[in-house]
Amino acid sequence: CLNYIGTAMAAEEPKYELIKSTDVYEIRYYEDRLAVQTVQAPGEDRAFRRLFNYISGSNQRSSKIAMTTPVTETDEGNGGVMMHFFLPKNFTEQTAPLPQADNVKLVMVKGGYYAVIKYSGRSTNQNFKKHAALLRDALNKDDVALKSDSIKATYNAPFTPSFLRRNEVMYRVD
């Protein structure tokens, strides 16, 4: 069973350059990354399914696309959430198939410096908010300026045991 879990976690991840590492967080530099995004309305629970449908062939070429990690979520205010699936690095804006659904878009996520704290366990809002506050406090203490709201990054499938899960909170920073 552990071997299966190990292979399930072998999804492509974006490359980054490690700029700084402390006891609490890392600062990483990411290049621009191609993604598909959708916005989930308050009380709705369909964003993941819409993006999964896109990589499963619900695109203008009916192409199946490998799942990558992480899946990211940002709060849009008023209860809405924006979710991103990053595309494998072999895709460009010119070669990625366009989504069929009107509420799924192909976007370029701007690269830059991100402060990141890692945590395990379930990716609940409570767990996320606790670690977002820890990271924000550590960055404030170190006079690191935030340039974004917190971003939830989830790396594992829901069937992964919680103690083996990898989650991150990210903030874009100066």
Side-chain angles (χ1 to χ4, degrees), residues 36 46-58 65 67 83 85 104:
V36 284
R46 296 191 198 107
F48 186 91
R49 173 56 55 197
R50 284 196 295 263
L51 297 178
F52 188 78
N53 287 345
Y54 168 83
I55 67 169
S56 297
S58 182
I65 299 169
M67 180 86 188
M83 184 177 285
F85 276 21
V104 175

Side-chain angles (χ1 to χ4, degrees), residues 17-21 27-29 113:
E17 180 184 346
L18 182 61
I19 304 299
K20 176 183 179 178
S21 185
I27 300 216
R28 303 172 181 170
Y29 178 79
Y113 296 93

Side-chain angles (χ1 to χ4, degrees), residues 91 98 101 106 116:
F91 284 100
L98 293 173
L106 203 55
V116 179

Side-chain angles (χ1 to χ4, degrees), residues 94-144:
Q94 293 72 34
T95 64
L98 293 173
Q100 285 181 325
D102 291 340
N103 53 3
V104 175
K105 291 185 202 160
L106 203 55
V107 296
M108 187 61 73
V109 175
K110 191 87 178 106
Y113 296 93
Y114 289 82
V116 179
I117 188 171
K118 298 177 194 175
Y119 62 99
S120 62
R122 293 185 39 88
S123 188
T124 61
N125 279 335
Q126 181 181 356
N127 206 2
F128 170 72
K129 287 177 180 175
K130 178 178 103 176
H131 288 88
L134 285 170
L135 177 56
R136 190 176 50 249
D137 292 348
L139 294 170
N140 286 338
K141 191 176 133 231
D142 293 347
D143 291 320
V144 177

